[in-house]
Amino acid sequence: MKVNRIRQNVLPLITALIWGTAFVAQSVGADYMGPFTFNGLRAVIAFFFLLALCALRRSMRRNVQTETAPASRRDLALGGLCCGSALAIASFFQQKGIETTTSGKAGFITALYIVLVPIMGLFLHKRVPKTVWGSVVLAVAGLYCLCITENFSITSGDFYILLCAFCFAVQIMVVDHFTQKVDGVELSCAQFLVMTVISILGMLTEPFPPAETLSAWIWPVLYVGVFSSGVAYTLQILAQKDSDPAVVSLLMSMESVFATIAGAIILGDRMSGKEYFGCVLMLAAVILAQLPEPKQKTAQD
């Protein structure tokens, strides 16, 4: 039980750390290539990284006689198709939006999935604890203080990021469904295979960056491909197994805090008092989300 609790709380925070720092890499990549090209390259890298990881895990378990049931293979194929399609669309909208909006706004609007996930859960007859709703309010307020400047406006980039937040919420709910049926690492590998195919088809409509700019964009693509895609999305799937998707999404929304910190360290950006206050609200939201409900505790006793 304790190990599961650590997995459900720590893994989403590690995921948020990786995703937050990846905003810097995505902004650099947007200067050199279109969204389909960037996502196609990151997806290819993530797929082969995860394919090697799956092969390694299978070889380590070769002495254990395990037979994959046909039903499980069907669930893996269907899960990869659904999760990969949602991820490909969400990633396209996010990268497209980053081209014309600030990373601060992108971080705030993307993290709106913490509101959309519990709302979607209601349509699926999932009960959302009151503490999570309170955490959502605190997190949204914190994200606003952290990312939104004085002149908030809905530009085309903001609209793309809003669509991205909706697609990410769908992806989280789909992952919540399939992660109970199939291996998490294999599901992550399958979803990036689907994302690779979709993104490569889209790459045909975009010019490929010239060879002389390779040194400028190769490291951002590698970082996003291996860590933000291959590692972080796998950690997300592992974290969501037997977990409340609303709580996991709230923890992962800490990516905005980490994005701000990464910008201060890497780009030399300084945070204002308002932004520091936003960090405090976000941390308070995460702590509140972990508090057990009094009624549930009494019922168990």
Side-chain angles (χ1 to χ4, degrees):
M1 181 66 70
K2 186 176 182 181
V3 174
N4 289 338
R5 186 70 175 175
I6 293 174
R7 172 174 57 82
Q8 295 166 12
N9 293 332
V10 175
L11 294 188
L13 288 177
I14 297 176
T15 301
L17 173 62
I18 297 173
W19 282 346
T21 53
F23 269 102
V24 176
Q26 288 180 253
S27 296
V28 174
D31 294 333
Y32 296 94
M33 65 191 77
F36 277 123
T37 302
F38 185 86
N39 288 326
L41 293 174
R42 70 183 283 191
V44 167
I45 294 171
F47 169 68
F48 282 108
F49 171 81
L50 291 167
L51 190 63
L53 181 59
C54 288
L56 177 62
R57 294 173 76 239
R58 284 182 178 273
S59 66
M60 293 175 64
R61 297 181 303 190
R62 63 181 180 274
N63 294 327
V64 180
Q65 299 297 326
T66 57
E67 184 69 24
T68 303
S72 180
R73 290 197 293 268
R74 287 195 297 269
D75 287 333
L76 181 61
L78 181 59
L81 179 62
C82 295
C83 296
S85 298
L87 181 59
I89 297 171
S91 298
F92 168 78
F93 284 136
Q94 185 181 62
Q95 194 64 23
K96 183 69 176 176
I98 286 177
E99 292 180 352
T100 54
T101 192
T102 64
S103 58
K105 280 189 177 182
F108 170 75
I109 300 173
T110 298
L112 286 179
Y113 62 74
I114 67 174
V115 178
L116 296 173
V117 166
I119 292 176
M120 289 182 178
L122 291 177
F123 289 100
L124 298 176
H125 306 291
K126 290 181 176 288
R127 194 183 70 84
V128 179
K130 294 180 180 178
T131 52
V132 172
W133 286 112
S135 297
V136 166
V137 174
L138 278 176
V140 170
L143 288 167
Y144 181 88
C145 294
L146 191 63
C147 301
I148 301 302
T149 57
E150 296 179 357
N151 299 321
F152 180 80
S153 59
I154 301 296
T155 64
S156 60
D158 297 335
F159 180 70
Y160 283 128
I161 300 294
L162 184 60
L163 293 176
C164 145
F166 177 81
C167 293
F168 273 131
V170 172
Q171 191 259 356
I172 289 172
M173 298 303 296
V174 175
V175 165
D176 179 61
H177 174 74
F178 284 101
T179 194
Q180 315 301 328
K181 300 182 177 182
V182 298
D183 179 80
V185 179
E186 293 181 358
L187 177 61
S188 186
C189 184
Q191 77 170 350
F192 276 105
L193 174 60
V194 174
M195 179 178 172
T196 296
V197 174
I198 295 174
S199 298
I200 287 179
L201 291 176
M203 286 174 62
L204 300 176
T205 64
E206 299 175 349
F208 198 80
E212 56 267 23
T213 63
L214 176 65
S215 60
W217 57 260
I218 187 62
W219 291 111
V221 169
L222 284 173
Y223 179 80
V224 175
V226 174
F227 291 99
S228 179
S229 300
V231 175
Y233 279 103
T234 303
L235 292 180
Q236 174 209 348
I237 290 174
L238 295 177
Q240 282 192 234
K241 187 175 181 63
D242 303 321
S243 303
D244 185 344
V247 174
V248 172
S249 65
L250 181 64
L251 290 170
M252 291 190 299
S253 73
M254 286 288 291
E255 67 181 287
S256 292
V257 177
F258 293 125
T260 301
I261 295 173
I265 295 175
I266 299 174
L267 303 177
D269 297 334
R270 290 182 299 176
M271 289 193 293
S272 65
K274 176 184 175 183
E275 290 170 329
Y276 279 117
F277 181 62
C279 291
V280 172
L281 289 178
M282 286 293 294
L283 290 173
V286 170
I287 294 173
L288 179 60
Q290 304 310 303
L291 297 178
E293 283 193 299
K295 289 184 178 180
Q296 291 181 346
K297 188 174 182 181
T298 303
Q300 292 175 355
D301 292 342

